[in-house]
């Protein structure tokens, strides 16, 4: 309604839309005395409060509802179409959008909803034609969508399916000859505001960057056509003058001046002789010149909106990074027994580096501000204020260098005094360090952010190969025919509980890890355990490769077919049903081994309820069903699962509190953490779509293999295990089909089991379903570390 291009941060306006203060078509219509009625999406009422003489808003976020949300709009039609007390009628139907979010564009519900919309359109068009026969005044029917739909049913990214949507204008004022077939033209969504304003006889919104759709005025006399085009061109030219300092050099402005001059000549010729071929040819030339100027101006202004103050953004980012680095370097002192936080600023300010940095930054500032043609915030400040910013940046940089130097000097002293100074980093240590730093650096490029999943897929695959190398190196004898380390499946965990081990125990463990002289490092393992240790990295690597084929994500390859699309198609519902049932059974087998008897029963019933819920909403079939025609919202089945989720979480919380109050050792705490983890797994099984259940299964399988056959045998320390959990958590975020595009957020998960829109539960459920992978890996990390701490404590007790 404003005709302007939204900025990236404007996405937050979708969550709780405030009143729109920017100039727009609705405000202009109300100021002109137009009577406006709105039915449908309540966003209209929030954006334009007190603008409608009558309205009935419906909640747009409750995507599980795709029937009542449209019936609440249609029920007003018969009454309002018979009345003549309105000028503008806005109908915003949400059902089609909701079906896309819940079931995707291939859902059988799509066809029924489109047929329903056809009936609504026929009713409106018939009523308007009947009214035109009585009033002899033409009406305008505009049919459009505010966005398209991706192959998964979402929107918000930049794929063709999401940014392309039909726009249909129907009116008896448009002259169409019989058999005149026109191919659809591509127009910008910003063009609609200017077209509606001209059609309603209103001023074009001040910040509109769109241009008038010429077919809407093509049937008008040449004089009116040129007048409408002139109004639009003047509006865009004024906007160009306000936003571009050197607007006179813009091609669109030059075309506008030529158009105005030709238009003046046409008017003089029109006043002299109204009908002549010369007049018509000149008018056609003026019209073509105006249309070219409009396109050029609109494109220039649209690009201008997308230009950012890069210089000011870079300076602000540098300041933030400098402060963050200072805080990170000060953490060891702050967490020490003295709890000191000393940031050296005085000595760096009087250093030579400070003055050199200040001079260089001042020279860069002068060059940028004198050469740039676009507006810049820092350049608009006074020279004294800008100099203060340069002093701050220089002082912080010198402080960072000073603090970093102290840390390095302190580290060298510690390394000289350390008893194990001859230790060196392994290949796995280097991979973890370089992989983490490489990922951080990759976030500086937008293309790497769009395809971030490729980074994580590469890192976890490389990690599997590094683990394989680490295992084989410890299994196969070295040059001295002796293995480098011992591998043990049972036993304690390095670094898990340093507080529980005395010095002798720590020394023994260190000696066991680094100085084992047994002939075979896997000699203490049983047959199947030995082979599982050797095969685990390859099994995990295979699982990751399978998961990559399940969901295509990112931007460049998101459109390519994948296994997920094949499973979700209506032709393969039986295969999806079998896969979902097997996945739920494997989830129970992997998760129940450490649960209490009550939690095992709750988990089994909960997973059964998950399948019943998916069958109720039509995603999967029961064996005795040929087709599920009776599709419901599954509210009862989902709430049935929620009961068991809350029960398992309550049991785990009770055990955790018991371990804090009663001296029950680590066992109760470990069981409580596993119960909490099991509750999260059951909730994820409910919220994830059926074709994503294998993601959950393979996540649990990889966690089991890593815990029993990788982390324990190789005795990795806490830091390595934590980083590995983080890597796999990030990879599983993308294995779910997520990306850094908002379009991949499955908002339907926020309404599982809800019959009305409740904001807090909907936000929590949506966030949990989106970040299920990282959350489950983080909770498994806590449970695993607690379990290893318990094992170490028990081992220390027995040895005593």
């Amino acid at each position: 309604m404003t005709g302007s291009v939204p900025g990236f941060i404007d996405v937050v306006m979708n969550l709780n839309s405030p009143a729109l203060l920017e100039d727009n078509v609705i405000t202009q219509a109300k100021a002109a005395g137009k009577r406006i009625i709105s039915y449908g999406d309540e966003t209209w009422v929030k954006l334009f409060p007190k603008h409608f003489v009558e309205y009935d808003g419906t909640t747009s976020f409750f995507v599980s509802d795709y029937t009542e949300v449209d019936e609440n709009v249609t029920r007003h039609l018969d009454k309002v179409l018979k009345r003549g007390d309105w000028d503008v009628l806005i109908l915003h139907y949400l059902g089609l959008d909701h079906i896309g979010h819940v079931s995707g564009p291939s859902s059988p519900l799509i066809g029924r909803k489109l047929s329903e919309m056809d009936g609504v359109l026929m009713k409106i068009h018939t009523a308007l034609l009947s009214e035109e026969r009585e009033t002899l005044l033409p009406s305008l029917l505009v049919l459009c969508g505010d966005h398209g739909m991706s192959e998964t049913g979402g929107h918000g990214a930049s794929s063709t399916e999401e940014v392309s949507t039909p726009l249909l204008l129907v009116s008896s004022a448009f002259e169409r000859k019989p058999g005149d077939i026109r191919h659809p033209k591509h127009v910008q969504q910003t063009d609609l505001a200017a077209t509606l304003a001209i059609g309603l006889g209103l001023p074009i919104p001040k910040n509109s960057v769109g241009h008038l759709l010429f077919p809407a005025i093509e049937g008008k006399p040449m004089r009116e056509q040129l007048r409408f085009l002139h109004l639009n061109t003047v509006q865009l030219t004024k906007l160009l003058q306000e936003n571009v300092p050197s607007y006179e050099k813009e091609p669109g402005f030059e075309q506008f001046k030529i158009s105005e001059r030709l238009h003046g000549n046409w008017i003089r010729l029109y006043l002299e002789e109204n009908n002549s071929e010369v007049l018509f040819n000149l008018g056609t030339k003026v019209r073509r010149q105006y249309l070219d100027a409009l396109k050029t101006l609109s494109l220039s202004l649209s690009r201008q909106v997308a230009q950012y103050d890069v210089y000011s953004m870079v300076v602000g980012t540098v300041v933030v990074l400098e402060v963050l680095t200072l805080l990170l370097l000060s953490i060891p002192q702050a967490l020490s027994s003295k709890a000191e936080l000393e940031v050296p600023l005085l000595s760096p300010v009087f250093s030579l580096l400070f003055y050199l940095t200040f001079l260089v930054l001042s020279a860069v500032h002068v060059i940028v501000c004198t050469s740039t043609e676009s507006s810049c915030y820092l350049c608009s400040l006074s020279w004294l204020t800008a100099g203060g910013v340069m002093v701050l940046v220089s002082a912080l940089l010198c402080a960072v260098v000073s603090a970093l130097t102290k840390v390095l000097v302190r580290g060298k002293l510690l390394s000289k005094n350390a008893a194990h100074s001859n230790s060196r980093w392994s290949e796995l240590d280097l991979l973890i360090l370089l992989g983490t730093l490489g990922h951080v650096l990759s976030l500086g490029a937008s293309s790497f952010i769009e395809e971030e999943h490729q980074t994580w897929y590469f890192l976890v695959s490389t990690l599997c190969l590094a683990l394989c190398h680490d295992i084989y190196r410890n299994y196969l004898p070295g040059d001295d025919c002796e293995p480098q380390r011992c591998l043990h499946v049972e036993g304690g965990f390095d670094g898990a509980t340093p507080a529980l081990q005395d010095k002798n125990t720590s020394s023994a463990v260190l000696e066991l890890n680094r100085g084992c002289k047994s002939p075979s490092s896997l000699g203490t393992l049983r047959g199947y355990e030995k082979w599982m240790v050797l095969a685990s990295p390859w099994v995990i690597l295979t699982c990751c490769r399978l998961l990559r084929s399940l969901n295509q994500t990112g931007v460049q390859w998101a459109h390519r077919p994948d296994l997920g699309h094949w499973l979700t198609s209506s032709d393969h519902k039986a295969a999806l049903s079998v896969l979902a049932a097997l996945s739920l059974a494997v989830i129970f087998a992997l998760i129940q081994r450490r649960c209490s008897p009550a939690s095992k029963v709750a988990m089994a019933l909960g997973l059964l309820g998950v399948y019943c819920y998916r069958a109720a909403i039509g995603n999967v079939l029961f064996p005795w069903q040929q087709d599920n025609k009776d599709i419901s919202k599954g509210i009862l089945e989902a709430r049935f699962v929620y009961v068991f989720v809350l029960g398992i979480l309550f049991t785990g919380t009770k055990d955790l509190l018991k371990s804090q109050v009663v001296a029950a050792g680590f066992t109760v705490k470990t069981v409580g953490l596993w119960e909490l983890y099991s509750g999260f797994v059951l909730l994820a099984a409910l919220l994830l779509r059926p074709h994503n259940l294998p993601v959950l299964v393979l996540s649990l399988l990889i966690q089991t293999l890593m815990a029993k056959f990788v982390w324990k045998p190789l005795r990795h320390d806490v830091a390595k295990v934590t980083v590995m959990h983080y890597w796999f958590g990030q990879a599983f975020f993308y294995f779910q089909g997520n990306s850094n595009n908002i379009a991949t957020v499955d908002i339907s998960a926020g309404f599982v089991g809800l019959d009305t829109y409740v904001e807090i539960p909907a936000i929590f459920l949506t966030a949990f379903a989106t970040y299920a992978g990282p959350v489950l890996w983080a909770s498994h990390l806590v449970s695993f570390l607690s379990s290893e701490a318990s094992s170490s404590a028990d081992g220390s007790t027995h040895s005593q």
Side-chain angles (χ1 to χ4, degrees):
M1 292 294 99
T2 62
S4 58
V5 180
F8 175 76
I9 199 62
D10 287 343
V11 67
V12 299
M13 299 298 182
N14 290 294
L15 303 179
N16 189 16
S17 307
L20 183 62
L21 303 179
E22 188 177 351
D23 191 16
N24 58 84
V25 175
I26 301 297
T27 302
Q28 293 284 4
K30 183 177 183 297
K34 305 288 185 183
R35 296 160 296 181
I36 314 172
I37 297 177
S38 174
Y39 300 128
D41 191 344
E42 63 183 0
T43 305
W44 288 89
V45 183
K46 294 180 179 180
L47 286 173
F48 310 106
K50 301 179 181 179
H51 283 63
F52 306 114
V53 295
E54 184 180 325
Y55 61 87
D56 184 10
T58 55
T59 303
S60 58
F61 283 104
F62 187 48
V63 297
S64 297
D65 176 24
Y66 46 81
T67 53
E68 295 180 7
V69 72
D70 286 345
E71 291 173 357
N72 286 335
V73 179
T74 305
R75 63 189 177 95
H76 297 283
L77 279 182
D78 291 331
K79 178 181 63 175
V80 75
L81 290 175
K82 295 177 181 178
R83 292 159 32 190
D85 58 347
W86 53 270
D87 300 298
V88 179
L89 175 63
I90 300 172
L91 306 174
H92 194 142
Y93 284 89
L94 291 164
L96 192 63
D97 174 69
H98 288 184
I99 293 174
H101 281 297
V102 174
S103 305
S106 301
S107 170
L109 298 172
I110 293 287
R112 305 177 202 171
K113 180 58 66 174
L114 290 176
S115 298
E116 178 187 338
M117 292 297 101
D118 283 343
V120 170
L121 189 62
M122 183 189 300
K123 179 183 293 187
I124 297 173
H125 191 212
T126 304
L128 292 179
L129 291 177
S130 176
E131 183 179 355
E132 287 181 10
R133 284 193 290 268
E134 298 177 3
T135 61
L136 300 179
L137 293 175
S139 57
L140 174 63
L141 173 61
V142 180
L143 176 65
C144 63
D146 53 344
H147 55 75
M149 184 184 300
S150 67
E151 293 186 1
T152 59
H155 54 85
S158 57
S159 67
T160 304
E161 293 81 9
E162 292 166 89
V163 300
S164 300
T165 182
L167 173 61
L168 183 66
L169 282 74
V170 183
S171 176
S172 58
F174 303 151
E175 296 183 359
R176 293 289 294 273
K177 300 177 181 179
D180 184 10
I181 300 177
R182 301 185 183 181
H183 295 286
K185 295 182 179 180
H186 289 278
V187 299
Q188 298 297 319
Q189 201 172 48
T190 51
D191 299 338
L192 187 58
T195 304
L196 291 177
I198 293 295
L200 292 171
L202 304 172
I204 300 175
K206 177 182 177 182
N207 296 320
S208 171
V209 299
H211 61 81
L212 176 66
L213 299 178
F214 179 70
I217 61 170
E218 196 172 6
K220 297 287 184 181
M222 181 64 73
R223 181 181 181 183
E224 293 191 36
Q225 291 183 24
L226 298 181
R227 184 171 67 88
F228 293 148
L229 294 173
H230 179 258
L231 290 174
N232 195 184
T233 315
V234 168
Q235 176 262 325
L236 291 179
T237 304
K238 290 182 178 179
L239 188 61
L240 184 72
Q241 293 174 352
E242 295 173 359
N243 291 275
V244 181
S246 56
Y247 65 90
E248 295 179 351
K249 300 178 181 178
E250 291 289 327
F253 184 80
E254 296 175 0
Q255 291 177 330
F256 164 69
K257 288 299 183 182
I258 296 174
S259 304
E260 267 198 331
R261 189 161 54 251
L262 290 175
H263 193 183
N265 296 335
W266 184 89
I267 291 177
R268 283 192 293 271
L269 187 61
Y270 174 81
L271 295 176
E272 294 174 1
E273 46 181 328
N274 199 4
N275 294 309
S276 69
E277 186 177 352
V278 176
L279 182 67
F280 177 78
N281 292 335
L282 181 59
T284 304
K285 182 178 180 180
V286 176
R287 183 177 63 190
R288 185 170 58 252
Q289 188 70 31
Y290 267 131
L291 291 174
D292 292 340
L294 284 173
K295 291 180 180 179
T296 306
L297 287 169
S298 179
L299 182 61
S300 176
L301 287 168
S302 299
R303 289 176 176 173
Q304 183 69 25
V305 173
Q307 290 182 356
Y308 298 98
D309 187 358
V310 178
Y311 176 56
S312 301
M313 292 167 63
V314 169
V315 173
T317 303
V318 169
V319 173
V320 171
L321 291 177
E322 289 176 337
V323 173
L324 179 61
T325 305
L326 274 179
L327 291 177
L328 291 176
L329 294 174
S330 305
I331 283 178
Q333 287 180 294
L335 297 181
S336 64
S337 58
K338 296 182 180 181
E340 296 177 341
L341 181 60
E342 180 183 357
V343 179
L345 284 178
L346 188 59
S347 56
V349 166
F350 291 100
S351 65
L352 179 62
L353 177 62
F354 169 77
Y355 295 106
L356 290 177
T357 306
F358 174 71
L359 289 176
V360 170
L361 292 179
S362 300
V364 170
H365 180 73
V366 171
I367 293 173
V368 171
C369 293
T370 54
S371 61
T372 183
E373 296 182 356
S374 58
S375 58
C376 175
Y377 173 75
L378 272 181
C379 295
S380 64
L381 298 176
S382 64
W383 287 104
L384 183 62
T385 306
V389 174
M390 301 305 140
V391 169
L392 176 62
V393 174
S394 304
L396 288 175
L397 177 62
C398 294
V400 168
V401 173
S402 176
L404 187 60
T405 304
K406 289 184 178 180
V407 170
L408 293 176
V409 171
R410 192 182 299 117
K412 288 183 178 180
L413 294 176
L414 289 175
S415 63
K416 290 180 180 180
N417 298 328
H420 52 278
S421 59
N422 58 344
S423 63
R424 62 184 180 85
W425 283 26
S426 65
E427 292 86 349
L428 186 61
D429 296 327
L430 292 174
L431 172 64
I432 290 176
L433 177 63
L434 296 178
T436 304
L437 291 178
H439 169 256
V440 173
L441 294 176
S442 71
L443 299 179
S446 60
S447 57
F448 278 92
I449 295 175
E450 292 174 350
E451 308 296 333
E452 188 182 357
H453 62 286
Q454 300 285 6
T455 303
W456 289 115
Y457 294 168
F458 171 78
L459 288 179
V460 295
S461 299
T462 309
L463 177 63
C464 291
L465 296 177
L467 291 173
C468 182
H469 174 265
D470 208 17
I471 291 174
Y472 285 10
R473 183 182 60 184
N474 288 281
Y475 170 61
L476 299 175
D479 295 336
D480 55 353
C481 297
E482 291 183 354
Q484 296 180 10
R485 288 194 295 177
C486 273
L487 294 179
H488 293 275
V489 172
E490 304 297 335
F493 187 65
D494 284 359
T497 54
L500 296 175
Q501 301 174 352
D502 58 16
K503 296 181 179 179
N504 296 329
T505 306
S506 301
S507 301
V509 170
L510 182 64
E511 183 180 358
L512 176 67
N513 288 341
R514 299 193 181 274
C516 183
K517 300 297 183 181
S518 59
S520 176
S521 57
L522 295 182
T524 59
L525 303 182
R526 292 187 295 272
Y528 88 93
E529 290 179 339
K530 179 189 300 184
W531 292 112
M532 284 303 300
V533 169
L534 294 173
S536 290
W538 297 105
V539 175
I540 296 170
L541 186 62
T542 303
C543 292
C544 293
R545 185 61 189 89
L546 291 174
L547 289 172
R548 290 182 63 174
S549 303
L550 185 63
N551 293 301
Q552 292 286 354
T553 185
V555 175
Q556 295 184 14
W557 296 281
H559 64 281
R560 297 182 64 181
D562 51 39
L563 187 58
H565 287 105
W566 185 86
L567 289 170
T568 53
S569 65
S570 56
D571 298 333
H572 306 108
K573 187 171 290 186
L576 178 62
S577 302
V578 173
L579 181 63
L582 291 176
S583 299
L584 293 173
V586 176
I587 289 172
F588 177 75
L590 292 172
I591 208 70
Q592 56 82 32
R593 52 195 172 88
R594 290 170 56 187
C595 292
S596 62
S599 295
K600 289 182 180 180
V601 175
M603 178 64 67
L605 294 176
L607 293 173
L608 180 62
V610 170
Y611 192 90
C612 294
Y613 166 73
R614 289 299 171 183
I617 64 175
N619 293 143
V620 297
L621 297 170
F622 283 115
W624 55 85
Q625 277 183 311
Q626 296 296 325
D627 193 10
N628 43 4
K629 296 181 179 179
D630 299 328
I631 298 177
S632 68
K633 297 179 182 178
I635 294 176
L636 182 62
E637 293 84 353
R639 290 179 177 177
F640 176 78
V641 179
Y642 283 140
V643 170
F644 294 111
V645 171
L646 294 176
I648 296 174
L649 293 177
F650 174 78
T651 304
T653 305
K654 183 191 68 174
D655 290 340
L656 281 180
L657 294 176
K658 182 179 179 181
S659 68
Q660 297 295 324
V661 177
V662 182
F666 283 91
T667 304
V668 176
K669 181 180 180 181
T670 302
V671 173
L673 289 172
W674 186 262
E675 299 278 358
L676 290 176
Y677 172 68
S678 304
F680 291 148
V681 169
L682 180 57
L683 181 59
L686 175 64
L687 299 181
L688 292 179
R689 301 206 179 194
H691 76 278
N692 268 337
L693 287 176
V695 177
L696 184 56
V697 171
L698 294 182
S699 175
L700 298 177
L701 179 62
I702 291 175
Q703 289 171 356
T704 303
L705 293 175
M706 292 287 285
K708 189 172 182 178
F709 301 111
V710 176
W711 292 322
K712 286 184 179 180
L714 292 179
R715 306 183 71 82
H716 289 142
D717 56 25
V718 177
K720 289 181 183 177
V721 173
T722 302
V723 173
M724 290 184 203
H725 273 84
Y726 172 71
W727 281 21
F728 275 102
Q730 292 298 309
F732 272 86
F733 172 80
Y734 295 101
F735 285 146
Q736 292 175 231
N738 294 320
S739 70
N740 290 323
N741 284 328
I742 194 174
T744 54
V745 177
D746 181 15
I747 64 175
S748 65
F751 304 96
V752 174
L754 301 181
D755 54 1
T756 57
Y757 175 62
V758 186
E759 187 172 3
I760 300 301
I763 293 175
F764 169 76
L765 293 176
T766 303
F768 181 85
T770 304
Y771 296 99
V775 169
L776 290 180
W777 277 88
S779 57
H780 182 270
L781 171 65
V782 177
S783 176
F784 177 76
L785 294 180
S786 176
S787 174
E788 293 306 307
S790 177
S791 301
S792 298
D794 292 342
S796 300
T797 303
H798 291 314
S799 64
Q800 292 176 358

